């Protein structure tokens, strides 16, 4: 644990990529194989389940520290991080622990099934022997909230530096449904086992948003454009008469989309398709809100399959006839995908082809972008015709050119404290719009939450207003005198029975503070609903 805690401290104290890579490489050179494997797992979001709930962690920490719970809660509001608060209130132990990271994680896995008496004894014992930063890291692992400023790509670079294995090969090895409980560092990283790859996806190629003028990309004839579909990015894999569906978050979601089983026997083995899972109610592309009824369901009923069917909107092919074809140009890959689609489209309605478009001017492409919401897309994807399929987010060959966000003026009605460096400020806001009733009466109805978009100075100014104009308190939430108007931006909108307003917005955020407007000038729910295409 000492080595791992020292590593996390180094990673957390620098923004320099090379320093982080070197720190990780040094760690991989010296740590034992079990600790290396768990470190890879933690940094790629494969943490063990949380063994103790946060309420008990608070109670047992205050008991060991000898302070009242109210004082802990006040401290927590100031610090803004539960793991750090616990680490701060408990004094350093006199007998340091020599247990390794993997030993602690093995303890945590087994701790989940223990009773509260055993859990409390375990926590008190280890809190007493760990120093401050080890205790902080221990608490992060215990709460399951371990987030550090290290991307998987950066970790892969460091691992490549330590093992001399190519980064792309390592990225491929780390994809999939592996767990430290079921494999070893040697089996996962060092050994070659072809049978392990039957279900493995390829690392996704990601695009950057257009910067500046689109015409700066050069000749428009060098580019294909296609609509940026608003669904779930996925890879559909067919190998050895089995089908696997992976989301971009490296989650195996095959059982969530049983419709895709129809591809087996029609699409040949050795095929990997990159595309978007889209809702397709009533034979047309739906909204992301439609898709949410399928996300997170443990089982998909027949009625849900009938009510909210999905399709695969295919836009690239990464493997064909068992061969990795990512180094071929996008044009070549699209020809292969197009030929495949022409062969199978009569037999399977669940697969659609995303149209690639060419334009004779950037102006004509811009006109196509303007109609994106009509076809339920977020804008356009621009892909250079000669581009290979790369790993991760790269600049140059793929760009996303999203439509301008929808905006509406709304009233601040509720607020909560923020997190991290903003934990002592009210920065998480709820906004409302006017709902017109009978006889000309109006009331404010909440419709969205947002916590980004203001400067630090503006956040401090709004915080001061909230503290001086609190109407009621509901635990951590404060209702606020409705006086401030903000312009809220969002990417999409749909009707929703789950929201009081009857409308769900996609990715809401604060665009600007409208100090020039009174609340009577804020928009209404009817204004919002008129934006629904």
């Amino acid at each position: 644990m000492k080595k791992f805690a020292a590593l996390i401290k180094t990673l957390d104290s620098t923004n320099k990529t090379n320093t982080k890579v070197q720190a990780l490489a040094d760690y991989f050179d010296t740590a034992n194989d079990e600790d290396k494997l768990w470190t890879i797992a933690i940094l790629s979001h494969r943490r063990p389940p949380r063994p103790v709930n946060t309420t008990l962690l608070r109670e047992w920490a205050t008991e060991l520290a000898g302070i009242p719970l109210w004082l802990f809660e006040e401290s927590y509001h100031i610090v803004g991080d539960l793991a750090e608060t616990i680490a701060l209130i408990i004094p350093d132990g006199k007998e340091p622990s020599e247990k390794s990271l993997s030993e602690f994680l093995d303890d945590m896995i087994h701790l989940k099934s223990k009773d509260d008496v055993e859990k409390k004894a375990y926590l008190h014992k280890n809190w007493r022997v760990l120093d401050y930063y080890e205790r902080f890291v221990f608490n992060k692992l215990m709460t399951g909230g371990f987030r550090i400023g290290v991307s998987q790509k950066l970790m892969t670079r460091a691992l490549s530096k330590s093992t001399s294995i190519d980064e792309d090969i390592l990225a491929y090895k780390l994809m999939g449904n592996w767990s430290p409980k079921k494999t070893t560092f040697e089996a996962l990283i060092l050994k070659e086992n072809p049978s392990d790859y039957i279900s493995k996806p390829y690392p996704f190629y990601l695009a950057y948003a257009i910067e500046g003028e689109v015409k700066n990309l050069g000749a428009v004839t060098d580019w294909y454009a296609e609509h940026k579909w608003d669904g779930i990015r996925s890879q559909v894999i067919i190998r050895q008469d089995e089908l696997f569906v992976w989301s971009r978050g490296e989650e195996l979601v095959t059982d969530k989309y049983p419709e895709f089983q129809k591809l087996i026997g029609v699409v040949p083995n050795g095929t990997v398709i990159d595309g978007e899972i889209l809702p397709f109610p009533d034979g047309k592309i739906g909204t992301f809100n439609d898709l949410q009824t399928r996300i997170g369901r443990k089982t998909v009923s027949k009625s849900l399959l009938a009510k909210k069917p999905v399709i695969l909107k295919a836009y690239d092919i990464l493997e064909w006839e068992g061969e990795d074809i990512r180094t071929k140009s996008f044009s070549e890959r699209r020809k292969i995908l197009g030929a495949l689609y022409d062969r199978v489209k009569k037999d399977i309605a669940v697969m659609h082809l995303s149209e690639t478009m060419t334009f004779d001017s950037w102006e004509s492409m811009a006109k196509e972008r303007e109609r994106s919401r009509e076809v339920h897309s977020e804008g356009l994807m621009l892909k250079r015709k000669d581009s290979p399929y790369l790993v991760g987010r790269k600049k140059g060959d793929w760009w996303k050119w999203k439509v301008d966000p929808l905006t509406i003026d709304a009233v601040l009605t509720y607020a909560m404290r923020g997190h991290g460096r903003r934990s002592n400020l009210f920065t998480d806001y709820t906004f409302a719009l006017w709902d017109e009733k009978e006889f000309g009466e109006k009331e404010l109805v909440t419709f969205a939450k947002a916590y980004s978009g203001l400067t630090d100075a503006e956040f401090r100014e709004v915080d001061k207003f909230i503290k001086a104009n609190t109407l009621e308190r509901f635990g951590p939430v404060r209702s606020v005198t409705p006086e401030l108007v903000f312009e809220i931006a969002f990417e999409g909108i749909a009707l929703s029975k789950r929201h009081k307003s009857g409308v769900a917005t996609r990715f809401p955020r604060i665009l600007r503070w409208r100090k020039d407007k009174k609340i009577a000038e804020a928009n209404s729910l009817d204004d919002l609903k008129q934006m629904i295409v």
Side-chain angles (χ1 to χ4, degrees):
M1 177 65 94
K2 286 186 181 300
K3 285 184 179 179
F4 182 71
L7 169 67
I8 298 304
K9 187 174 184 179
T10 300
L11 296 175
D12 204 26
S13 62
T14 181
N15 291 323
K16 295 181 179 178
T17 298
N18 289 340
T19 303
K20 291 182 177 183
V21 170
Q22 189 59 54
L24 277 163
D26 291 343
Y27 175 84
F28 287 133
D29 284 342
T30 58
N32 64 53
D33 282 359
E34 291 81 5
D35 283 6
K36 284 190 281 192
L37 183 64
W38 267 114
T39 299
I40 295 168
I42 290 165
L43 295 180
S44 57
H45 311 294
R46 291 174 172 84
R47 297 177 290 272
R50 186 174 64 190
V52 181
N53 68 55
T54 56
T55 299
L56 291 176
L57 286 173
R58 287 171 159 90
E59 292 176 2
W60 295 340
T62 55
E63 183 180 322
L64 184 60
I67 64 173
L69 187 58
W70 69 263
L71 181 56
F72 177 90
E73 295 297 341
E74 287 297 316
S75 302
Y76 177 29
H77 278 308
I78 299 302
V79 175
D81 183 276
L82 179 61
E84 186 177 0
T85 306
I86 293 173
L88 286 166
I89 66 169
I90 296 172
D92 289 346
K94 296 180 180 179
E95 298 179 9
S97 172
E98 298 300 324
K99 288 174 69 172
S100 67
L101 169 67
S102 53
E103 288 174 323
F104 272 111
L105 287 163
D106 190 56
D107 287 348
M108 292 179 191
I109 292 168
H110 290 93
L111 190 65
K112 188 172 178 61
S113 62
K114 304 293 185 183
D115 60 33
D116 287 353
V117 173
E118 292 175 285
K119 290 178 179 180
K120 177 180 174 182
Y122 175 80
L123 286 165
H124 278 196
K125 176 184 176 182
N126 286 287
W127 279 336
R128 287 190 183 103
V129 299
L130 297 170
D131 66 24
Y132 162 70
Y133 212 86
E134 292 168 349
R135 198 160 55 243
F136 168 68
V137 171
F138 173 83
N139 293 337
K140 282 290 188 185
L141 295 171
M142 187 65 67
T143 60
F146 203 100
R147 294 181 180 87
I148 199 73
V150 175
S151 65
Q152 184 153 325
K153 179 182 176 182
L154 190 149
M155 179 188 66
T156 304
R157 280 179 55 189
L159 194 57
S160 175
K161 191 170 184 177
S162 175
T163 62
S164 299
I165 299 173
D166 184 84
E167 285 183 43
D168 285 356
I169 294 174
L170 286 171
Y172 188 67
K173 285 173 175 283
L174 295 179
M175 292 288 286
N177 196 26
W178 63 271
S179 164
K181 295 181 288 183
K182 297 178 181 179
T183 189
T184 64
F185 179 78
E186 183 177 1
L188 179 69
I189 302 299
L190 304 180
K191 278 190 175 180
E192 281 295 327
N193 188 353
S195 64
D196 290 342
Y197 295 136
I198 181 175
S199 68
K200 284 209 171 210
Y202 293 94
F204 285 86
Y205 186 14
L206 308 175
Y208 273 93
I210 288 284
E211 300 170 341
E213 295 289 331
V214 67
K215 62 184 180 182
N216 293 337
L217 293 180
V220 71
T221 52
D222 291 339
W223 299 86
Y224 282 125
E226 60 186 291
H227 280 282
K228 185 182 185 302
W229 303 108
D230 186 17
I232 297 174
R233 178 85 179 273
S234 64
Q235 285 180 33
V236 174
I237 298 167
I238 299 174
R239 297 185 184 120
Q240 298 181 25
D241 295 323
E242 291 189 61
L243 179 137
F244 308 91
V245 183
W246 289 93
S247 71
R248 202 190 91 181
E250 295 185 33
E251 182 183 3
L252 188 62
V253 293
T254 312
D255 58 333
K256 309 294 184 188
Y257 306 102
E259 298 100 322
F260 296 159
Q261 293 296 324
K262 296 173 184 175
L263 298 173
I264 298 176
V266 180
V267 174
N269 284 317
T271 301
V272 178
I273 296 170
D274 187 9
E276 202 86 5
I277 298 173
L278 295 174
F280 205 64
D282 303 318
K284 58 185 179 181
I285 294 174
T287 67
F288 193 83
N289 196 50
D290 293 321
L291 195 58
Q292 283 186 313
T293 60
R294 298 280 297 264
I295 297 172
R297 293 289 183 97
K298 291 185 178 179
T299 57
V300 183
S301 65
K302 289 183 179 180
S303 62
L304 185 58
L305 284 172
K307 188 177 180 181
K308 301 293 182 183
V310 298
I311 60 167
L312 175 69
K313 184 72 88 167
Y315 42 69
D316 212 333
I317 186 166
L318 315 184
E319 184 178 313
W320 176 241
E321 297 179 339
E323 179 187 354
D324 178 355
I325 61 170
R326 292 177 296 163
T327 57
K328 291 182 180 293
S329 70
F330 181 61
S331 294
E332 292 176 286
R333 298 196 308 275
R334 281 293 307 209
K335 286 179 183 177
I336 295 170
L337 179 61
L340 169 63
Y341 178 70
D342 288 340
R343 280 171 46 190
V344 305
K345 62 183 178 182
K346 292 181 181 179
D347 300 314
I348 46 171
V350 75
M351 178 174 157
H352 292 209
L353 189 65
S354 180
E355 180 188 3
T356 53
M357 300 171 285
T358 56
F359 297 90
D360 56 9
S361 70
W362 290 114
E363 289 75 18
S364 57
M365 187 186 290
K367 289 181 180 178
E368 179 64 27
R369 172 177 170 260
E370 289 172 5
R371 62 180 293 269
S372 294
R373 287 197 174 93
E374 296 176 25
V375 297
H376 291 292
S377 84
E378 299 178 301
L380 298 180
M381 289 291 300
L382 278 57
K383 299 178 180 179
R384 193 180 293 277
K385 293 178 180 179
D386 61 0
S387 63
Y389 191 97
L390 302 175
V391 174
R393 199 178 299 278
K394 308 280 187 183
K395 283 188 177 181
D397 290 337
W398 283 22
W399 297 93
K400 50 188 177 183
W401 192 21
K402 298 177 73 172
V403 291
D404 295 331
L406 298 166
T407 65
I408 202 158
D409 292 332
V411 181
L412 174 67
T413 52
Y414 295 91
M416 286 181 62
R417 291 184 187 270
H419 300 278
R421 67 185 183 90
R422 291 178 177 161
S423 59
N424 62 334
L425 299 173
F426 285 91
T427 60
D428 290 11
Y429 308 138
T430 300
F431 296 94
L433 298 170
W434 290 111
D435 186 15
E436 297 182 2
K437 303 295 185 181
E438 293 181 334
F439 310 113
E441 294 182 0
K442 297 194 298 184
E443 68 173 352
L444 288 167
V445 176
T446 60
F447 83 103
K449 295 183 178 181
Y451 51 86
S452 64
L454 298 182
T455 65
D456 287 347
E458 286 175 324
F459 273 126
R460 288 192 295 270
E461 191 176 349
V462 176
D463 175 77
K464 184 178 179 181
F465 172 86
I466 290 167
K467 290 171 179 174
N469 292 275
T470 296
L471 297 176
E472 294 180 272
R473 302 188 187 201
F474 310 93
V477 180
R478 294 190 181 192
S479 66
V480 181
T481 302
E483 288 186 17
L484 306 186
V485 178
F486 295 83
E487 186 176 3
I488 307 301
F490 48 95
E491 298 301 321
I493 180 173
L495 294 174
S496 172
K497 294 179 180 179
R498 297 185 297 112
H499 295 77
K500 183 179 179 181
S501 64
V503 176
T505 54
R506 189 123 154 84
F507 300 133
R509 69 269 190 194
I510 303 167
L511 195 62
R512 56 176 171 154
W513 184 357
R514 295 301 305 265
K515 292 185 178 183
D516 59 321
K517 285 198 172 187
K518 303 293 185 183
I519 63 169
E521 300 175 84
N523 287 108
S524 68
L525 279 176
D526 285 342
D527 295 334
L528 184 66
K529 290 175 182 178
Q530 286 175 12
M531 297 181 184
I532 299 173
V533 177

